[in-house]
Amino acid sequence: MEWIYGWLLLSPALVLLIAFTHLPAINTLWGSFFSTPRGQRPAKFVGLGNYETLLADETFWQVFSNSFWYAVVTIPVSVALALLMAIWVDGKLAGRGFVRLAYFAPTVLPLIAVANIWMFFYTPGFGLIDQISGAFGFPSVNWLGDPDLALGAVIVVAIWKEAGFFMIFYLAALQSIPPQLREAAAIEGADRWTFFRRITFPLLMPTTLFVSVNAVINSFRLVDHIFVMTDGGPDNASSLLLFYIYEVAFKFWDTAYASTLTVVLLVLLSVLAVGQFFLLDKRVHYR
Amino acid sequence: MSAGVEIEVRDLRKAWGDSVAVDGIGFTAEAGAFTVLLGPSGCGKSTTLRMIAGLEEATSGAVLIGSQNVTRQPPNARGISMVFQSYALFPHLNVAENILFGLKVRRVPAAERAARLQRTAGLLGLDGLLDRRPSQISGGQQQRVALGRAIISEKPICLMDEPLSNLDAKLRHEMRVELKTLQQKLGITMVYVTHDQVEAIAMADRIVVMKGGQIEQSADPRTLYQRPASVFVARFIGTPPMNILELAVGPAGGMISGDPTPVLPRSVVDDRDGGFQLGIRPEDIEIGQPGGITGTVEQVEYLGADQLVDCRIADQRVLIRAANRQPVAVGQRVSLTWGRDSLHLFDKRSGARIPATDERPVQAAGRTFQTNAETGAAGP
């Protein structure tokens, strides 16, 4: 009889997970081997046909490279910035509560709202950035309209949004380090940098691992501001993988190709997550 | 090994806003001696130690190490090592790395590091534990690692902030003996903070008793025990604490308040405002010798080797530590006697000791300590 209770207790989570995570995942994988059904034409098995299309798709490669740079810049910069801010806020600082609040505010704001704020910063002519740079005589720059600058502009927004969130984790970890360690090191003559390198940073490694896994996932997941700010443009210059999947699936209604792109994204994320754990786990000291 | 260096504290003061932690104290920790800062929690002893270490900045006053003023110097410029109450071991480093941390920071060559590590580990019995993490060894072993980190630096001064308070009683006793032996062997100047008077008496060459940010008395353990400078010191040193009785002064001399028998001659107890208090240690009172003060036994606590007898003289309670072979029963009336030397007279208002003219100097094994000259008087 007990097994019934066991399954009953499991069932809510089981139903939700299967219905909304596992089935769609399998469906997606399955669908990536078929053509997109249209009107009179039902889906037809095409084998790896969709994957061949993908390899030949120039937009895909452009989006892939955008995503690569987006991740390569946002992850280290946001994590490093978070660590720096946490160390600063952890110290004896006047108005430290206010500074912490200010740093954490972007995390509380929805990304859509954040994007709207940044739209105002970036607007050519009367945006905040142009107004300030204009006061010093610099020419007006169309940050979001220039194919060379659009990706950089959305990267800055993502970093601004992420760093404060990660800072909270670093701050919590820093405050769990006993102050006597710093004193013991000071008596041995360790300067601040040595103490950070030899003691603080190694003790923060579990947090760094956690934060960096999150940063990797977010760098593929956070695309809301693309919709508001650039819509992927100009000429796909700021389009990211997830944004492109959305476009293919719900604007062009090419569900089979969207499935193929999703599978690629999933494989990419799993490889990164597994790689991170194997690479970093050995160097992490857990208390 | 480097020989110890003298530390002198001059008029040292530390205040945070209005709250004063250390209120202008001065003392000298002799080179190569074991000095203990003793006092109840919140008396400023740890703050004093941290100011000597340079971890806390003095509000005013000076710290001199080897006659050099180091008051504004950083900790590493003071030639000190320190053991913390929490040990402050680096949790991600193994025992060897923890002990070697300071040497690596100071870029000591690898060969010398290895030699010193071997010597230190041998001295402390840590040989088999060098590649363990702090979380993988016991509290006593962690304590040794902290000690190892202090002595491998071969600094002339070692500061300790309640290093034994996290250990169990048996281990604490072993480490006490070991610490004292180690200190003498290395000849370092040790300044040790504790609230445990037993620890202080057992280890110290000199004890600085603190209360409310000030020094109550600074003396060797024997003087502290035999000639406490104040009621506070008298009750703080010794277990059970000294009996403090109200003294009434009549034409015949000083009497325990409520009892007609004079215990001190008239010449000793002059007329002074505020009156006197009389101190007698529980172990200095004898039961059953004829010609004493009469007391009534109220309670008897059996301790094995001896017994604690709770007596009443008139309306005042007196605790006596008596030999076990002495038969006493609750309700019994007994005669209590003591030697003239074991009576301590205090000013009731200030709590300060009133030195008797007929006091003998404190005798120690092989050494005679001066008493009144260097025993600081307490009170305002």
Side-chain angles (χ1 to χ4, degrees):
Chain A
M1 281 306 282
E2 275 186 14
W3 62 272
I4 293 186
Y5 289 112
W7 283 105
L8 278 175
L9 287 168
L10 268 180
S11 58
L14 203 63
V15 167
L16 286 174
L17 267 178
I18 287 180
F20 295 105
T21 306
H22 299 316
L23 270 184
I26 292 165
N27 247 340
T28 304
L29 183 65
W30 185 251
S32 71
F33 299 116
F34 289 82
S35 65
T36 305
R38 300 211 189 264
Q40 305 294 315
R41 261 185 309 150
K44 185 175 70 149
F45 183 76
V46 292
L48 293 174
N50 284 324
Y51 291 90
E52 280 161 21
T53 315
L54 178 129
L55 290 178
D57 180 5
E58 267 179 47
T59 316
F60 168 74
W61 288 113
Q62 155 114 53
V63 167
F64 188 83
S65 127
N66 286 349
S67 287
F68 172 79
W69 287 114
Y70 186 80
V72 160
V73 177
T74 47
I75 297 166
V77 173
S78 60
V79 172
L81 212 58
L83 182 56
L84 276 177
M85 295 196 302
I87 288 170
W88 192 44
V89 173
D90 189 39
K92 291 186 184 98
L93 181 74
R96 148 175 90 161
F98 177 77
V99 177
R100 286 185 192 177
L101 177 76
Y103 282 156
F104 197 57
T107 308
V108 186
L109 294 174
L111 190 48
I112 301 286
V114 168
N116 276 302
I117 295 170
W118 278 87
M119 285 283 276
F120 165 69
F121 292 170
Y122 283 143
T123 310
F126 56 88
L128 185 70
I129 297 174
D130 263 14
Q131 279 191 28
I132 292 171
S133 68
F136 293 98
F138 290 103
S140 163
V141 179
N142 188 356
W143 295 98
L144 297 172
D146 187 330
D148 293 334
L149 300 177
L151 184 64
V154 295
I155 285 175
V156 168
V157 177
I159 291 170
W160 187 77
K161 166 90 179 151
E162 295 247 282
F165 182 54
F166 297 150
M167 179 204 72
I168 295 296
F169 292 102
Y170 273 125
L171 194 57
L174 278 175
Q175 289 184 342
S176 72
I177 296 178
Q180 284 82 21
L181 296 189
R182 181 178 291 277
E183 294 176 348
I187 282 177
E188 300 291 358
D191 55 29
R192 290 173 63 147
W193 168 242
T194 311
F195 180 74
F196 177 79
R197 195 170 51 85
R198 299 278 317 273
I199 310 295
T200 312
F201 191 69
L203 288 178
L204 290 176
M205 271 315 267
T207 313
T208 304
L209 177 65
F210 173 79
V211 160
S212 62
V213 168
N214 269 282
V216 167
I217 293 168
N218 281 351
S219 73
F220 288 94
R221 199 175 60 94
L222 281 185
V223 294
D224 312 20
H225 57 313
I226 310 280
F227 287 86
V228 176
M229 298 175 77
T230 63
D231 214 7
D235 191 19
N236 290 320
S238 62
S239 180
L240 299 174
L241 212 46
L242 191 57
F243 182 82
Y244 185 50
I245 291 172
Y246 166 80
E247 269 193 323
V248 170
F250 301 107
K251 274 190 178 161
F252 314 148
W253 291 106
D254 190 349
T255 49
Y257 189 45
S259 298
T260 314
L261 286 168
T262 307
V263 171
V264 169
L265 179 62
L266 280 179
V267 170
L268 200 65
L269 278 180
S270 333
V271 169
L272 282 175
V274 170
Q276 253 178 325
F277 266 103
F278 276 100
L279 194 73
L280 290 176
D281 204 39
K282 284 193 196 91
R283 305 186 195 176
V284 174
H285 165 76
Y286 295 100
R287 263 183 275 186
Chain B
M1 290 271 163
S2 49
V5 159
E6 184 186 86
I7 306 170
E8 193 191 338
V9 168
R10 269 190 210 156
D11 202 23
L12 200 61
R13 209 179 114 84
K14 177 72 188 179
W16 283 279
D18 282 343
S19 88
V20 179
V22 176
D23 196 5
I25 64 164
F27 66 90
T28 303
E30 277 170 57
F34 200 120
T35 304
V36 170
L37 300 180
L38 175 69
S41 56
C43 72
K45 56 192 190 300
S46 280
T47 310
T48 305
L49 189 78
R50 290 169 60 81
M51 283 194 282
I52 296 174
L55 295 172
E56 212 77 71
E57 206 179 321
T59 309
S60 65
V63 176
L64 285 84
I65 291 178
S67 69
Q68 199 148 18
N69 190 335
V70 295
T71 318
R72 305 286 167 222
Q73 300 275 328
N76 57 319
R78 299 183 176 206
I80 53 156
S81 58
M82 186 162 173
V83 176
F84 293 82
Q85 181 176 5
S86 63
Y87 312 146
L89 300 179
F90 306 122
H92 61 295
L93 300 179
N94 66 27
V95 168
E97 290 167 329
N98 259 294
I99 294 177
L100 288 173
F101 181 82
L103 299 191
K104 276 189 187 163
V105 166
R106 290 191 292 276
R107 306 233 156 72
V108 174
E112 192 191 333
R113 274 202 318 247
R116 274 160 82 167
L117 174 65
Q118 205 181 12
R119 203 160 57 215
T120 308
L123 198 63
L124 295 169
L126 289 169
D127 295 299
L129 304 171
L130 290 177
D131 51 1
R132 304 256 194 104
R133 293 261 172 85
S135 57
Q136 295 165 325
I137 58 180
S138 71
Q141 290 165 337
Q142 288 180 22
Q143 160 74 61
R144 279 163 197 275
V145 177
L147 203 57
R149 195 170 59 185
I151 63 178
I152 200 172
S153 65
E154 296 178 0
K155 299 279 178 66
I157 294 169
C158 184
L159 308 177
M160 297 201 168
D161 190 359
E162 309 226 10
L164 305 184
S165 57
N166 290 348
L167 302 179
D168 60 60
K170 183 170 173 288
L171 210 52
R172 196 151 59 211
H173 180 252
E174 284 172 15
M175 282 307 288
R176 212 153 70 193
V177 176
E178 213 167 311
L179 270 182
K180 177 74 185 170
T181 316
L182 205 61
Q183 181 264 335
Q184 283 173 338
K185 192 160 145 192
L186 303 178
I188 45 180
T189 307
M190 182 85 89
V191 181
Y192 186 105
V193 162
T194 184
H195 62 267
D196 182 350
Q197 51 98 11
V198 179
E199 215 169 276
I201 288 193
M203 291 195 289
D205 295 319
R206 166 167 296 269
I207 300 176
V208 178
V209 183
M210 290 183 69
K211 179 197 170 197
Q214 288 175 329
I215 293 180
E216 281 280 314
Q217 188 171 12
S218 165
D220 62 278
R222 264 167 218 278
T223 308
L224 219 53
Y225 177 80
Q226 294 176 15
R227 301 275 187 269
S230 67
V231 172
F232 175 80
V233 176
R235 288 191 60 85
F236 200 79
I237 305 285
T239 17
M242 185 187 279
N243 295 298
I244 301 293
L245 306 171
E246 298 301 319
L247 199 70
V249 178
M255 299 158 296
I256 291 170
S257 186
D259 189 90
T261 325
V263 292
L264 281 172
R266 190 74 183 83
S267 58
V268 178
V269 284
D270 51 354
D271 287 314
R272 78 165 60 199
D273 297 336
F276 299 91
Q277 280 181 320
L278 186 71
I280 317 169
R281 292 210 177 269
E283 51 272 38
D284 288 340
I285 305 177
E286 265 196 278
I287 298 182
Q289 300 295 320
I293 309 260
T294 309
T296 313
V297 177
E298 299 229 301
Q299 213 172 29
V300 179
E301 193 184 345
Y302 177 74
L303 290 182
D306 40 21
Q307 55 189 346
L308 289 183
V309 182
D310 211 345
C311 273
R312 212 176 49 199
I313 301 173
D315 59 343
Q316 300 198 58
R317 298 178 78 107
V318 181
L319 198 62
I320 302 147
R321 192 181 194 124
N324 246 337
R325 51 183 186 280
Q326 195 86 49
V328 274
V330 174
Q332 193 186 340
R333 291 174 67 76
V334 289
S335 164
L336 305 174
T337 50
W338 48 74
R340 165 68 189 90
D341 262 0
S342 45
L343 289 183
H344 306 261
L345 198 58
F346 300 102
D347 183 305
K348 191 178 174 187
R349 259 201 308 204
S350 66
R353 177 184 194 84
I354 301 166
T357 43
D358 50 351
E359 266 178 3
R360 283 179 296 176
V362 176
Q363 291 292 323
R367 281 207 274 179
T368 307
F369 292 93
Q370 302 157 296
T371 49
N372 294 332
E374 57 177 24
T375 297

